[in-house]
Amino acid sequence: MQSDKLDAVDRALVERLRIDGRESNRALGEALGISEVAVANRLRRLEECSVMRVVAVTDMRIFGHRELSFALLRVSGRSPIEVAQAIEKLPDVVAVTAVIGRIDLVVPMLGRNHRHLAQLFGTTLPRVAGVDSVQGLLALDVLKFESKWGVLSADSGTAPDSYPSESVDELDLRILKRLQVDARRSFRGLASELGVSERTVRGRVKRLSVENVIRIQAVSDVNAFGMNANAYIGITATRGLTDEVGQNLIQRDDVAQLTRTLGEFDYIAVVIAPDRESLHRSVFGSIATIPGVRRAELFEAWANSKHNYAWGWLV
């Protein structure tokens, strides 16, 4: 579904669900001036057309995957899409994006620790047929992670294994697994499926939300909402001005994600725009001219092979 097919009620509905993904159909209908049946029909249409899904965006760090990194890959002897399709099967990979530039693929990955990352960069990725070179960027801090956007047309793929921890037990994990698919399903239905009381499920979900383990919200497809161009931007700051550059970038609406990195770039940003012209104007006419930015390199996305939008960094 294209952005021009979404009316004002559709957009208002999505906006409310971005704030509270479990707002009832009755409350939504009263707020928007439509019936509960109309709300249900619109939600069904938006989900079936991959415009929006309401999920429990889960903080990836609670399961012991505390090391975020970016692999910048060059490909030879095989098409980038073929290599991307092989890499997307790796559970540690959050997303796979084919880009235009001096590299071919950008791959955000999760690691349990530095040893695990060393294995991913030194053994796992180089063994994928077609991978010519692997460059790594280690995330030092995630300054912005806008979880309301996703590429719903891409495969969400496999995710890292989840284990009980100090924050979550086995029942929490079973609840989360279901809410990551559909966070609007009834607590009564969940309770029946899990063999526990509705009160238990309700209490668990409330605690997980309060402790910022999950955020139940609508995730919207960037293309369906007219954001038809997106890119990774590698940003190098002038020495001594790195923090100032980061604070400036955080304030920008077109910057959906911002990560402080160790490696060739000081920051990796995800930028979204309505079209390529707007994207280029945003990067080279605005971001590149921010005081303290020494260099901004564009890696424009042309294919998204995987995007696990139910995992986030709840900053």
Side-chain angles (χ1 to χ4, degrees), residues 158-221:
T158 55
D161 292 331
S162 302
Y163 302 99
S165 66
E166 294 180 359
S167 303
V168 293
D169 62 18
E170 187 62 45
L171 178 57
D172 291 329
L173 293 178
R174 292 169 65 196
I175 293 172
L176 287 175
K177 184 176 181 180
R178 289 158 176 81
L179 292 180
Q180 284 185 321
V181 177
D182 177 11
R184 286 183 64 80
R185 61 190 308 181
S186 72
F187 287 145
R188 179 178 297 179
L190 278 172
S192 176
E193 187 175 334
L194 296 171
V196 298
S197 70
E198 182 179 349
R199 180 178 180 181
T200 296
V201 172
R202 190 181 300 275
R204 295 271 182 146
V205 173
K206 181 178 180 180
R207 176 181 60 81
L208 293 170
S209 299
V210 168
E211 294 178 357
N212 215 31
V213 173
I214 62 173
R215 182 184 298 145
I216 296 179
Q217 65 171 90
V219 177
S220 310
D221 184 75

Side-chain angles (χ1 to χ4, degrees), residues 251-271:
Q251 305 304 318
R252 297 182 61 93
D253 291 336
D254 55 356
V255 174
Q257 294 177 24
L258 182 65
T259 305
R260 178 79 165 87
T261 55
L262 178 65
E264 180 180 0
F265 302 111
D266 294 310
Y267 293 103
I268 285 288
V270 175
V271 177

Side-chain angles (χ1 to χ4, degrees), residues 4 13 34 139 144-145 200 212 227 230 257 281 283 294:
D4 59 358
L13 180 59
I34 58 178
K144 185 175 184 180
F145 196 105
T200 296
N212 215 31
M227 296 298 169
N230 61 88
Q257 294 177 24
R281 186 166 56 247
V283 174
R294 186 159 59 88

